[in-house]
Amino acid sequence: MDFQRIRAGAEGYLPNMTKFLRDLVRILGESCGEEGHTRRIAQEMETLGFDRVVIDPQGNVLGYMGTGARIIAYDAHIDTVGLGELSNWTFDPYEGYENETEIGGRGTSDQLGGIVSGVYGAKIMKDLNLIPDDVTVLVTGTVQEEDCDGLCWQFIVNEDKVRPEFVVITEPTNNNIYRGHRGRMEIRVEVKGVSCHGSAPERGSNAIYKMGKILAELEELNHRLAYDPFLGKGTLTVSEIFFNSPSRCAVADMCAVSVDRRLTVGENDVTSIAEIANLPSVKEYGAKVTMYHYDRPAWTGQLYETECYFPTWVIPETHPACEAMVESYRGMYGEPKVDKWTFSTNGVSIMGRFGIPCIGLGPGREEEAHAPNEKTWKADLVKCAAIYAALPMLYMRKS
């Protein structure tokens, strides 16, 4: 494996990668509105000589290099979050900026940089004949991840009938290799009351007061959730609160909260619902505990619904995909740190639901995700493209 030649190839494509990323930043592409990103990525793939480029019914773009039966995939979600409070930005988030080392703009780390490195990693493979004869390299630009992580891969596996041997998740990894993360759930807890005139509250039953007791027990539950030595502790937090009341002069007759539940090893949807359902105040007041359901149509109009359960996943350090990624990294950039994400990725479906092994490496940093003044680093784009390019050959030697 001529690592220096691969690294030089990636460095030579930096101007192209920079232009590609800056083009994507200038195109709006929040969840369910990614059409511009999809079409610009398809255009770049076609220009670079991908053997086949497909936009599927959900709006994901799939670019293929090679014709072998064994598929190795590189996934990047191509939707971004919104801008938040504009006064927190020091530059135009949809124009961005470029200097000698950085590229700024919404989505540069989370995670348009990942699709840029993935596309050019495949191009380097083609340039240097690094795709094994029995392998097809697949680069996916996937939609709706920020809204519902993993939904895109439920569609790719179940409807497109594409099942890779393993997948590289190109979310930002802070120049490390990541081999897992906690899962998550979106849970609703709702309690009913009886309204009455606010001048005589004893005639009614206040749902907000009931929820107050439930909230205290939810806060306490967070402290005793399971712990895993690698992924860390399961957590929960209340993220939203809702109520019904006939007026501001009445007792509230409904109160509900949303719970963001992060799942460590050994936790799942059944156990997590049961933990909340069995809280004393939840039982006392007959509160209803349910999982949210996702039902927004994609930019194509395709409606593909799912429950809001996103399973935990971890790959062993001894898995051939992890070992090959470490060897590729080491061959060009020294010894890597192997770690985990704090947030969640499409791996919740790829490995969490379908058992398809995942390994993570992507340009940018986790702390840039969803933050104002988001940026990524040009050196990261080059590094990831080079490491991606060497990976299939190294993996095939180990598998």
Side-chain angles (χ1 to χ4, degrees), residues 112-165:
L112 298 173
I115 191 66
V116 170
S117 291
V119 166
Y120 276 87
K123 171 60 173 168
I124 296 163
M125 293 178 214
K126 185 171 185 177
D127 291 346
L128 302 182
N129 195 29
L130 294 172
I131 302 176
D133 291 340
D134 55 349
V135 168
T136 293
V137 170
L138 168 63
V139 180
T140 60
T142 45
V143 298
Q144 295 179 274
E145 191 272 352
E146 295 290 6
D147 249 17
C148 187
D149 34 326
L151 179 70
C152 47
W153 273 90
Q154 289 188 56
F155 193 91
I156 288 169
V157 173
N158 291 332
E159 310 304 325
D160 294 340
K161 307 301 182 186
V162 174
R163 191 179 181 94
E165 191 159 322

Side-chain angles (χ1 to χ4, degrees), residues 197-213:
H197 199 282
S199 64
E202 68 277 3
R203 297 174 185 165
S205 176
N206 197 314
I208 292 176
Y209 289 165
K210 293 177 180 178
M211 184 58 73
K213 294 182 180 179

Side-chain angles (χ1 to χ4, degrees), residues 303-376:
L303 181 61
Y304 199 70
E305 301 181 41
T306 192
E307 60 189 3
C308 293
Y309 170 49
F310 311 93
T312 307
W313 66 275
V314 182
I315 189 174
E317 285 192 81
T318 55
H319 190 281
C322 187
E323 290 184 339
M325 183 72 86
V326 168
E327 184 176 348
S328 183
Y329 191 116
R330 183 186 293 131
M332 286 177 273
Y333 298 102
E335 195 65 27
K337 179 181 179 182
V338 179
D339 206 346
K340 60 189 177 296
W341 279 286
T342 302
F343 58 44
S344 182
T345 75
N346 280 333
V348 296
S349 284
I350 302 168
M351 189 167 181
R353 287 183 181 270
F354 299 117
I356 300 167
C358 294
I359 190 68
L361 175 73
R365 298 177 187 170
E366 278 195 83
E367 55 266 32
E368 296 291 325
H370 302 192
N373 306 309
E374 184 180 355
K375 60 186 176 298
T376 196

Side-chain angles (χ1 to χ4, degrees), residues 31-333:
S31 294
C32 306
E34 307 96 336
E35 180 176 6
H37 285 164
T38 298
R39 298 200 184 281
R40 178 63 184 86
I41 293 161
Q43 177 190 52
E44 192 81 4
M45 289 174 167
E46 289 164 355
T47 299
L48 294 178
F50 275 66
D51 295 315
R52 186 161 61 102
V53 180
V54 176
I55 297 175
D56 74 8
Q58 193 183 31
N60 305 298
V61 56
L62 292 80
Y64 296 86
M65 284 280 203
T67 57
R70 301 173 70 176
I71 298 174
I72 295 174
Y74 297 77
D75 177 64
H77 74 79
I78 58 174
D79 55 329
T80 67
V81 294
L83 302 180
E85 177 53 55
L86 278 173
S87 64
N88 289 330
W89 290 80
T90 59
F91 59 87
D92 182 341
Y94 289 135
E95 174 57 33
Y97 72 88
E98 174 188 354
N99 60 32
E100 187 175 341
T101 59
E102 300 169 353
I103 301 169
R106 177 52 92 211
T108 47
S109 268
D110 186 23
Q111 59 130 146
L112 298 173
I115 191 66
V116 170
S117 291
V119 166
Y120 276 87
K123 171 60 173 168
I124 296 163
M125 293 178 214
K126 185 171 185 177
D127 291 346
L128 302 182
N129 195 29
L130 294 172
I131 302 176
D133 291 340
D134 55 349
V135 168
T136 293
V137 170
L138 168 63
V139 180
T140 60
T142 45
V143 298
Q144 295 179 274
E145 191 272 352
E146 295 290 6
D147 249 17
C148 187
D149 34 326
L151 179 70
C152 47
W153 273 90
Q154 289 188 56
F155 193 91
I156 288 169
V157 173
N158 291 332
E159 310 304 325
D160 294 340
K161 307 301 182 186
V162 174
R163 191 179 181 94
E165 191 159 322
F166 79 90
V167 179
V168 177
I169 304 290
T170 67
E171 292 262 19
T173 59
N174 297 58
N175 284 306
N176 302 317
I177 294 170
Y178 287 173
R179 62 180 185 92
H181 59 67
R182 293 178 302 167
R184 68 182 190 90
M185 293 176 65
E186 297 174 6
I187 300 170
R188 180 181 171 94
V189 182
E190 180 178 314
V191 65
K192 298 291 189 181
V194 178
S195 64
C196 68
H197 199 282
S199 64
E202 68 277 3
R203 297 174 185 165
S205 176
N206 197 314
I208 292 176
Y209 289 165
K210 293 177 180 178
M211 184 58 73
K213 294 182 180 179
I214 293 171
L215 289 173
E217 291 178 3
L218 285 170
E219 184 176 15
E220 190 276 331
L221 174 61
N222 176 63
H223 297 302
R224 52 187 172 86
L225 295 174
Y227 174 81
D228 176 75
F230 178 61
L231 291 187
K233 183 181 173 298
T235 61
L236 69 79
T237 190
V238 174
S239 56
E240 296 177 313
I241 189 163
F242 316 92
F243 73 95
N244 280 340
S245 179
S247 79
R248 284 183 292 183
C249 298
V251 166
D253 56 9
M254 188 281 294
C255 190
V257 295
S258 299
V259 175
D260 179 317
R261 178 70 162 87
R262 301 290 158 155
L263 308 166
T264 195
V265 173
E267 298 183 314
N268 58 45
D269 55 338
V270 175
T271 61
S272 298
I273 292 286
E275 284 170 334
I276 296 175
N278 287 322
L279 292 173
S281 291
V282 170
K283 295 171 74 172
E284 179 184 353
Y285 298 130
K288 186 177 181 181
V289 184
T290 57
M291 197 184 323
Y292 278 97
H293 191 80
Y294 183 79
D295 60 357
R296 286 186 70 193
W299 69 261
T300 59
Q302 175 72 53
L303 181 61
Y304 199 70
E305 301 181 41
T306 192
E307 60 189 3
C308 293
Y309 170 49
F310 311 93
T312 307
W313 66 275
V314 182
I315 189 174
E317 285 192 81
T318 55
H319 190 281
C322 187
E323 290 184 339
M325 183 72 86
V326 168
E327 184 176 348
S328 183
Y329 191 116
R330 183 186 293 131
M332 286 177 273
Y333 298 102

